[in-house]
Amino acid sequence: MSSLLLLELAFATDNLAAKDIPMSFGDIPPFAFADGRGLAVDLINHFIQATGSKVQVRVLPNKRTRTYLKNQKVQGIGIVDRQSEVEGLCYTEVYINFENMAITLESQNYPSLARPKDITKLDKPRISSFQDAKLYLGDEYNKAVDSPSVMSYGESSNILGVVKQLFFKRADLIVMESTIFDYYRKQLAERDRHSEVAEIPVTKHSILPTTPFRAGFLDANLCKVFNLGLKKARQDGSYQKIYDHWTKVEKTKKPSRP
C-alpha cells in the first residue's frame, strides 16, 4: 500500500470529528438489515474507520429518505445508484455491484442462455422478478419478458416469496441479484424448515447487466474519506475479506458469460 494513499487519508480525516452518521438504507439482506447489520454497512464502516465514526442504519422508503436528507435527519444513503439524483448529495465511487441473474432449476434442463432475448426461446416460461426490475435491466430484457412467448411475468418486493416460487415450481425462471438469492435460499432451507431446498441444484444464467451502487453523503469530506478508504481496502485485501464473510454459501451452477 502506498505511503501517499495513507497521507491522503490522514489529511482527509483531519477536520472530521468522530460521530455517529445516520444513513438511509433499504432492507436488503445480506447487504443491509433493519437491525443495523449487513455487508454494505460493514464496508462503509470499514472505509470511514479513520474518522472514528460509525454508521447508524435507518431503514426508510425512498420518498421519506429525501425528506430526511432535506431536514438532515440522515446524513447520507448507504446504497444508491446515479439514476437517483438527490439534490445536495455527494456520490462516492462504486463499491458494490449487484450481479443480476436469471435463475432456473437444473432439473428443467433449460439450455444456457446467452442474452436476455433468449428467454423467449423457452417454452412459455412463468417469470417472477424483484420489484422494479424493468427499470434496471434494459430494453432487451423488457422486450423479452413482455413477449407473447412468455406465459406470465410479475415483479414483487417479497424476495423470499419469489425464491419460494422457483423451488415450489410456481415459476420457471426468477430474476434476482445472486448474493440476495443465496441468502434467501439459505433462509428458506433453515428458518422455514425446507431443508431440501439446499440440495436442489440451480443454474444461474449470467445474461443481465450488473447494477453498480454507491454511497452518498451530504458532507463531501466524507465522500473523499470513503473513496480513499475503499481504495485502501481493495489494495490490502480487507474489502474482499468483508465481502467473503457475508457471502459464504453453497455454490450453485453458474455458466460463464459467453
Side-chain angles (χ1 to χ4, degrees), residues 69-121:
L69 283 167
K70 185 176 181 180
N71 298 329
Q72 297 193 12
K73 291 183 179 180
V74 294
Q75 295 298 311
I77 305 176
I79 302 174
V80 64
D81 66 277
R82 285 307 298 264
Q83 295 178 39
S84 307
E85 292 294 340
V86 179
E87 186 178 354
L89 205 62
C90 169
Y91 291 92
T92 69
E93 298 295 329
V94 172
Y95 77 106
I96 286 175
N97 283 292
F98 274 22
E99 298 288 339
N100 302 304
M101 299 283 174
I103 305 170
T104 59
L105 298 181
E106 193 174 303
S107 60
Q108 292 166 300
N109 293 316
Y110 283 151
S112 292
L113 307 178
R115 52 187 303 168
K117 70 177 184 180
D118 289 347
I119 291 171
T120 62
K121 298 177 181 178

Side-chain angles (χ1 to χ4, degrees), residues 185-232:
R185 178 186 191 175
K186 189 175 181 181
Q187 290 297 300
L188 182 58
E190 295 178 358
R191 190 189 67 185
D192 290 5
R193 299 180 182 179
H194 291 287
S195 57
E196 73 281 0
V197 164
E199 305 299 324
I200 299 174
V202 303
T203 302
K204 293 181 177 180
H205 306 267
S206 304
I207 61 172
L208 302 170
T210 60
T211 307
F213 285 104
R214 309 163 188 264
F217 296 96
L218 293 176
D219 186 340
N221 288 323
L222 278 172
C223 262
K224 186 173 183 179
V225 170
F226 179 105
N227 289 336
L228 291 169
L230 169 59
K231 186 176 181 181
K232 175 178 177 292

Side-chain angles (χ1 to χ4, degrees), residues 22 27 30 33 40 68 73 93 122 147 154 156 175-176 189 240 242:
D27 186 11
F33 294 80
Y68 272 49
K73 291 183 179 180
E93 298 295 329
L122 304 179
S147 165
S156 175
V175 174
M176 190 173 296
Q240 195 61 47
I242 292 169

Side-chain angles (χ1 to χ4, degrees), residues 102 113-121 127 133-150 153 155 173 175 206-209 257-258:
L113 307 178
R115 52 187 303 168
K117 70 177 184 180
D118 289 347
I119 291 171
T120 62
K121 298 177 181 178
I127 301 173
K134 286 186 174 182
L135 297 179
Y136 289 99
L137 299 183
D139 290 342
E140 186 177 331
Y141 172 81
N142 288 347
K143 289 177 183 177
V145 297
D146 287 341
S147 165
S149 63
V150 171
Y153 176 80
E155 296 182 357
L173 180 151
V175 174
S206 304
I207 61 172
L208 302 170
R257 288 184 184 273

Side-chain angles (χ1 to χ4, degrees), residues 8-19 50-53 219-222 224-225:
E8 284 183 290
L9 194 53
F11 276 122
T13 58
D14 193 42
N15 295 318
L16 288 173
K19 60 182 179 180
T51 67
S53 300
D219 186 340
N221 288 323
L222 278 172
K224 186 173 183 179
V225 170

